[in-house]
Amino acid sequence: MLSRVYCASTIGVDARLIEVEVNRTSGMPKYFLVGLPDRAVSESSDRIEAALSNSGASFPDGRITVNLAPADLPKEGSAFDLPIAVALLDVSGQIKTEGLHETLVLGELALDGKLRPVKGILPMAVQAREKGLKNMVVPASNGPEAAVVDGINVYAFGHLGEVMEWLRDRESHDPLSVEVRQMFRENGQQQILDFSDVRGQENVKRALEVGAAGGHNIILVGPPGSGKTMMARRLPDILPPLTLDEALETTKIHSVAGLLPSGKALVTSRPFRSPHHTVSDVALVGGGSIPRPGEISMAHNGILFLDELPEFKRSALEVMRQPLEDGSVSISRSRMSVSYPSRIMLVASMNPSPTGDWYDPADPAGASPAQMQRYLSRISGPLLDRIDLHIEVQKVSYDELSSKSKGEPSARIRKRVVGAREVQTQRFRGINGVYCNAQMNTKMSRKICLLDEAGASMLKKAITSLGLSARAYDRILKVSRTIADLERSEAIKSNHVAEAIQYRSLDRESWLA
């Protein structure tokens, strides 16, 4: 007798439908599992046998062959426990099979029959809907995540016995539903860090506003205690809110990585990832024998913050160059190739010298210009080329620290940022993969970022007299366009270009002079 049950497996951030085929014949009791299972899948028979026994069912006797099709696709994880158990119940006649051909079944089994959550539920639910399946059976903890997807009935259970009861009587349980808008409203009510707490640093806050408005990568250069990390952690609060499509993209990655909190259905706020400087290449960009997303993909649609940038391994920083340019990470292995999205806003911070402070001719114990140059040279030119805004952060004075007046709140800054992003949304409508000014390629920037005579003259003078590199040209054009958008100006004016030039300090040949 043969039984088929549908389940799914993730490949990158997408899923693929898997057929669990169970064939039972007479003979000596024997259990075979084929179809490129990994260790976790191969060990499922012991968990399933104990779970069936503790749920009032029995493991079928005879010769049992379980095939996970397609057979050439590696299978890994514990999500196959429940579909194999259901197929065994079906092949032994212990459940009804009506509607089983239009149901996706996923879940890990505990020995007592309880259902434990599994990774990658959201992309699996999307795949089930695209394949025309009507029902989806998942562990209770994964229920809200699966229910975010419209067009499929999600049934969430806590025990194998409940699944068996539903299979015998389909009216015994109602499908789960969630309110997506309520999730976004609840996120908006959460306590957040606010720029009103930042004393002074008005020029830095302005630069961060420009970066957020255009999605530009940023590097903050300043001595310890000047507030670089504090301001970087407040940056997500002035970014535009996630759209539903962005939330689904982000949630897919967190779900596949197994980092979505239990019971949480959707990532509704922009990610902020801050890995330690000892992070490995694989942990930062992704990879492994079985590819997994790295920090740069976990920050998709959000911010990747690298504190003390020169302390990161050079190899780890260099592998970021391609993801920053393309907005995706491609990982190739002998058995498969996967791609993870990595459309991020990179924010980095660093000290100006090994001693932590700026060059001071009056301080003989301070860093010399040569020491500062060697320290800054730890960051390669190609990586620096992908950072649009170089922001010099000075120490805050006592008068500013002791002031009782608060700074401009994040909500007001965010309103201006959202307005500038709306202008960019209209500008790039219909252009695939471009959502903000920072994502323009060279051809687009030359076409869209047109300068008047005064602006062109100023930029030419900056490149020749200030020692700006040629690679800074396109970056200045893009940042100028963003500054103009913040002012709702269709034309890029000379004052916009002048402000953009100020944000290229690390490109100046004479900046240490």
Side-chain angles (χ1 to χ4, degrees):
M1 185 176 179
L2 179 66
S3 175
R4 285 189 178 90
V5 175
Y6 288 113
C7 64
S9 180
T10 56
I11 303 175
V13 293
D14 297 315
R16 184 167 176 180
L17 217 59
I18 304 294
E19 285 188 33
V20 176
E21 301 175 325
V22 175
N23 187 65
R24 178 193 182 198
T25 58
S26 59
M28 293 291 291
K30 195 70 176 177
Y31 183 87
F32 300 95
L33 178 60
V34 296
L36 288 184
D38 73 345
R39 184 69 177 270
V41 182
S42 299
E43 293 174 345
S44 63
S45 60
D46 296 324
R47 294 193 297 270
I48 293 170
E49 185 172 4
L52 289 173
S53 176
N54 290 311
S55 302
S58 60
F59 195 90
D61 55 8
R63 184 184 178 92
I64 304 294
T65 302
V66 179
N67 178 44
L68 306 178
D72 61 344
L73 181 70
K75 321 297 186 309
E76 57 94 18
S78 56
F80 298 92
D81 289 5
L82 184 58
I84 293 175
V86 169
L88 290 172
L89 291 171
D90 180 28
V91 81
S92 59
Q94 299 180 66
I95 59 169
K96 293 182 180 180
T97 59
E98 295 178 7
L100 205 55
H101 65 282
E102 55 188 19
T103 302
L104 188 74
V105 183
L106 299 160
E108 177 185 339
L109 285 172
L111 299 184
D112 61 357
K114 290 181 180 178
L115 293 181
R116 291 174 174 157
V118 295
K119 298 185 291 186
I121 287 292
L122 181 60
M124 294 176 185
V126 172
Q127 177 70 2
R129 180 186 63 183
E130 292 177 353
K131 293 298 183 180
L133 300 183
K134 295 181 180 179
N135 305 314
M136 187 172 181
V137 175
V138 297
S141 298
N142 292 130
E145 180 185 348
V148 168
V149 180
D150 291 328
I152 188 168
N153 298 319
V154 175
Y155 296 90
F157 302 106
H159 196 276
L160 176 59
E162 298 175 7
V163 178
M164 294 166 59
E165 180 183 352
W166 177 77
L167 290 170
R168 296 186 183 110
D169 180 11
R170 299 302 173 90
E171 303 298 325
S172 60
H173 293 78
D174 295 325
L176 186 66
S177 63
V178 295
E179 181 53 57
V180 175
R181 291 183 180 178
Q182 180 62 27
M183 296 178 190
F184 281 93
R185 283 195 295 268
E186 290 174 355
N187 175 67
Q189 297 169 359
Q190 293 177 1
Q191 183 128 8
I192 45 180
L193 300 171
D194 200 281
F195 268 102
S196 62
D197 301 326
V198 180
R199 300 291 189 269
Q201 304 290 17
E202 297 303 323
N203 62 317
V204 181
K205 287 188 280 188
R206 165 63 178 178
L208 294 177
E209 178 183 340
V210 172
H216 301 288
N217 297 328
I218 296 171
I219 185 167
L220 301 163
V221 185
S226 56
K228 302 186 297 294
T229 302
M230 178 183 68
M231 287 185 282
R233 292 191 179 278
R234 283 160 172 74
L235 191 54
D237 192 40
I238 65 172
L239 291 175
L242 281 176
T243 64
L244 179 57
D245 288 341
E246 288 178 324
L248 289 173
E249 286 180 358
T250 307
T251 305
K252 276 185 177 183
I253 302 170
H254 287 246
S255 177
V256 167
L259 297 179
L260 196 65
S262 178
K264 185 173 182 178
L266 203 61
V267 175
T268 54
S269 58
R270 294 193 180 274
F272 183 90
R273 305 290 297 185
S274 180
H276 192 261
H277 65 262
T278 58
V279 66
S280 67
D281 304 8
V282 171
L284 186 61
V285 181
S289 56
I290 299 176
R292 286 283 182 270
E295 289 290 336
I296 193 170
S297 293
M298 297 299 296
H300 180 60
N301 288 323
I303 292 174
L304 178 66
F305 178 51
L306 302 182
D307 199 7
E308 300 300 337
L309 187 65
E311 304 302 324
F312 284 77
K313 291 190 300 182
R314 179 98 176 207
S315 60
L317 295 178
E318 291 306 302
V319 295
M320 290 178 55
R321 286 158 50 182
Q322 178 262 332
L324 286 174
E325 193 73 21
D326 299 341
S328 63
V329 179
S330 298
I331 302 171
S332 298
R333 294 294 179 265
S334 58
R335 289 186 174 181
M336 67 176 70
S337 295
V338 299
S339 180
Y340 295 109
S342 60
R343 194 170 60 246
I344 65 165
M345 182 176 170
L346 175 65
V347 179
S349 72
M350 61 179 291
N351 297 330
S353 69
T355 62
D357 218 330
W358 301 98
Y359 168 63
D360 184 358
D363 183 9
S368 67
Q371 287 176 315
M372 293 181 67
Q373 189 62 54
R374 282 197 301 270
Y375 185 73
L376 294 171
S377 66
R378 295 185 185 182
I379 307 170
S380 71
L383 178 62
L384 195 62
D385 189 32
R386 289 160 174 80
I387 300 179
D388 300 344
L389 303 179
H390 309 159
I391 308 170
E392 297 179 17
V393 185
Q394 304 293 338
K395 289 181 179 179
V396 184
S397 67
Y398 172 79
D399 291 337
E400 290 173 322
L401 285 173
S402 60
S403 174
K404 293 184 179 179
S405 61
K406 287 197 170 186
E408 187 177 23
S410 294
R412 194 179 303 166
I413 302 174
R414 188 186 204 186
K415 186 176 180 180
R416 295 195 295 268
V417 169
V418 170
R421 285 290 185 103
E422 289 174 350
V423 172
Q424 294 165 46
T425 299
Q426 293 298 323
R427 176 182 299 135
F428 302 123
R429 188 176 300 278
I431 302 177
N432 188 31
V434 180
Y435 304 96
C436 58
N437 290 335
Q439 296 168 354
M440 288 190 290
N441 57 34
T442 301
K443 184 178 180 180
M444 293 176 63
S445 64
R446 300 294 174 91
K447 180 180 179 181
I448 294 174
C449 306
L450 299 176
L451 305 180
D452 58 16
E453 186 175 346
S457 175
M458 180 174 294
L459 184 53
K460 178 182 178 180
K461 183 178 180 181
I463 290 177
T464 55
S465 65
L466 295 180
L468 292 176
S469 64
R471 68 189 180 212
Y473 181 78
D474 285 339
R475 304 290 171 180
I476 292 174
L477 287 180
K478 294 177 185 179
V479 175
S480 300
R481 179 67 268 173
T482 298
I483 297 170
D485 290 342
L486 280 168
E487 295 185 3
R488 299 300 181 96
S489 172
E490 292 187 9
I492 300 177
K493 301 177 182 178
S494 58
N495 61 302
H496 303 149
V497 177
E499 183 177 353
I501 292 171
Q502 294 178 12
Y503 300 137
R504 298 300 303 181
S505 61
L506 295 184
D507 278 340
R508 299 178 196 167
E509 295 177 354
S510 58
W511 85 290
L512 292 175

